[in-house]
Amino acid sequence: MIGVLVVDDHPAVRAGLADLLRSEPGLACVATAESAEAGIEAARRTEPAVVLADYELPDHDGLTLCSDLKAFRNAPGVIVYSAFARPRLLPAAAVAGADGMLDKAAPAEELFELIRVVARGDGRLPTPPPEVMERSFALLDMEEIVLFGMAVNGAPPDEIAAVAGTEPDETRRQLRALLARLQATTAEREGAV
């Protein structure tokens, strides 16, 4: 049985996803949470295999939540499941350590399959389009380009730290700062800030 934690700020979405997951053989909704903070608490309590994280949450965004979850000793797989699951978010999602991203408009069968793939440890974000990568690279200095490139190619923080010659905690701090910058730039481009 694959345990799934649903983190979404809309009560109807949480309830609907919980029911949907219960209806699918081999999947179980182990908890729901309405915020990133509640999601962290629920993940510690239930140790899900996979977390479905909405991008827009009242206290943090889903990518910051993802980054926090990936710091757990037995980190769950994380799927950014959002109406904002667009190619422009792929670089930031990769830096956060997301294992998958799916638009909420996708069919249920696609969601079920992605949950299973991520639970097996085979999750991987699609490669961002070249124009999205170019915009991201333009923001970075040489040290950050190495971190960014490894993250986009799926390297975990410990592996990035070994290659960069830094401590894992320092690498996580650098990735977190890089994530914040990528997200701020995306928001500015869209007029959200």
Side-chain angles (χ1 to χ4, degrees), residues 79 99-102 110-119:
I79 298 170
D99 301 289
M101 186 165 30
L102 190 64
E110 200 172 327
L111 174 62
F112 298 151
E113 179 58 24
L114 184 56
I115 291 170
R116 288 183 175 98
V117 166
V118 168

Side-chain angles (χ1 to χ4, degrees), residues 164-188:
T166 59
E167 292 296 318
D169 287 343
E170 174 62 14
T171 299
R172 284 186 183 85
R173 187 197 61 72
Q174 291 171 325
L175 288 170
R176 186 75 177 246
L178 181 56
L179 172 62
R181 196 150 103 227
L182 289 169
Q183 290 179 287
T185 303
T186 299
E188 287 170 7

Side-chain angles (χ1 to χ4, degrees), residues 7-161:
V7 183
D8 196 292
D9 59 330
H10 292 95
V13 172
R14 286 193 310 273
L17 282 171
D19 288 344
L20 185 66
L21 292 167
R22 286 185 197 105
S23 73
E24 179 65 10
L27 302 182
C29 180
V30 296
T32 65
E34 70 283 352
S35 67
E37 184 177 327
I40 292 290
E41 291 173 17
R44 284 192 178 113
R45 188 178 66 254
T46 63
E47 298 184 359
V50 176
V51 175
L52 293 180
D54 189 15
Y55 179 69
E56 289 201 346
L57 296 169
D59 52 353
H60 296 293
D61 60 75
L63 297 182
T64 302
L65 170 61
C66 176
S67 179
D68 290 345
L69 290 168
K70 289 300 185 173
F72 282 21
R73 173 173 282 155
N74 294 316
V78 179
I79 298 170
V80 178
Y81 185 64
S82 175
F84 297 97
R86 303 286 183 264
R88 66 177 170 72
L89 285 181
L90 287 170
V95 169
D99 301 289
M101 186 165 30
L102 190 64
D103 193 294
K104 286 182 177 178
E109 294 74 27
E110 200 172 327
L111 174 62
F112 298 151
E113 179 58 24
L114 184 56
I115 291 170
R116 288 183 175 98
V117 166
V118 168
R120 284 194 309 263
D122 296 332
R124 186 141 168 89
L125 292 170
T127 302
E131 64 276 6
V132 171
M133 290 296 285
E134 287 171 19
R135 282 194 298 266
S136 297
F137 277 126
L139 303 170
L140 312 176
D141 62 30
M142 285 307 286
E143 182 179 321
E144 291 171 325
I145 287 174
V146 172
L147 295 173
F148 177 73
M150 291 185 73
V152 168
N153 284 301
D158 290 348
E159 183 180 322
I160 295 171

